[in-house]
């Protein structure tokens, strides 16, 4: 089958996030700068086995800035999946692909804003598709949350 159904797409995405989480447990960071009070920018690499088979590897960068009343945290990562075995709920796929992720968290006093975006593509024997995932969250006098993604052509959205 060349595509994923609306029931299969979230199953595959959840399995990919689980595989990534497992690999990130093995992250190895470069040494941080001596003075980390105002600015920190370590980089790291990670790799690991996907729980059901295959492997995942990548790199990430993390930076912070602070001015005493607020600051910013930035993260970016990229990773590759090599024959990670995932279940769609009805069939098993060996997934290959690459993804990128960026996030920014800005905070000041009692308010904060968080933006997260992930994009990439995956393929398996007989098919391929893209994954685009966005989350925006803000707190202050009111709290707002927006979630939007497209997993292999299936749309999922939420806002409050």
């Amino acid at each position: 089958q060349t595509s994923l159904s609306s029931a299969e797409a979230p199953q595959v995405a959840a399995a990919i996030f689980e595989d990534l989480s497992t690999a990130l447990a093995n992250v190895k960071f470069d040494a941080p700068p001596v003075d980390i009070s105002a600015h920190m920018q370590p980089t790291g690499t990670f790799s690991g086995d996907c729980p059901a088979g295959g492997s995942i590897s990548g790199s990430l960068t993390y930076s912070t800035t602070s001015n005493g009343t607020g600051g910013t945290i930035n993260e970016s990562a990229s990773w590759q999946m090599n024959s990670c075995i995932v279940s769609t709920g009805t069939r098993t796929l060996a997934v290959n692909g690459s993804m990128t992720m960026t996030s920014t968290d800005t905070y000041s006093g009692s308010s904060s804003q968080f933006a997260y975006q992930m994009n990439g593509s995956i393929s398996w024997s007989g098919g391929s598709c893209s994954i685009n995932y966005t989350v925006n969250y803000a707190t202050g006098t009111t709290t707002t949350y927006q979630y939007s993604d497209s997993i292999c052509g299936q749309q999922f959205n939420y806002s409050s």
Side-chain angles (χ1 to χ4, degrees), residues 7-160:
E8 291 176 319
Q11 293 291 327
V12 169
I16 289 170
F17 289 138
E18 180 182 333
D19 292 349
L20 176 63
S21 204
T22 300
L24 283 171
N26 299 315
V27 70
K28 293 178 178 54
F29 283 104
D30 298 337
V34 174
D35 178 15
I36 61 172
S37 60
H39 181 73
M40 186 170 70
Q41 190 171 2
T43 59
T45 58
F46 58 91
S47 63
D49 293 331
C50 299
S55 64
I56 191 167
S57 62
S59 62
L60 59 92
T61 300
Y62 178 89
S63 68
T64 64
T65 56
S66 176
N67 61 16
T69 60
T72 303
I73 300 169
N74 294 299
E75 294 176 291
S76 64
S78 62
W79 63 93
Q80 298 75 43
M81 296 160 286
N82 297 306
S83 298
C84 286
I85 305 299
V86 299
S87 172
T88 68
T90 58
R91 58 190 168 132
T92 301
L93 304 174
V95 174
N96 295 295
S98 61
M99 306 289 288
T100 60
M101 180 277 298
T102 59
S103 71
T104 301
D105 185 10
T106 304
Y107 56 94
S108 177
S110 63
S111 66
S112 66
Q113 295 180 336
F114 175 76
Y116 175 91
Q117 188 168 27
M118 184 176 68
N119 298 295
S121 61
I122 59 172
S123 63
W124 59 93
S125 179
S128 65
C129 66
S130 62
I131 297 177
N132 301 296
Y133 179 82
T134 302
V135 174
N136 292 296
Y137 180 80
T139 63
T141 55
T142 62
T143 299
T144 60
Y145 176 79
Q146 295 176 319
Y147 163 89
S148 167
D149 73 21
S150 171
I151 303 170
C152 299
Q154 306 297 323
Q155 290 292 133
F156 304 92
N157 299 297
Y158 174 81
S159 65
S160 69

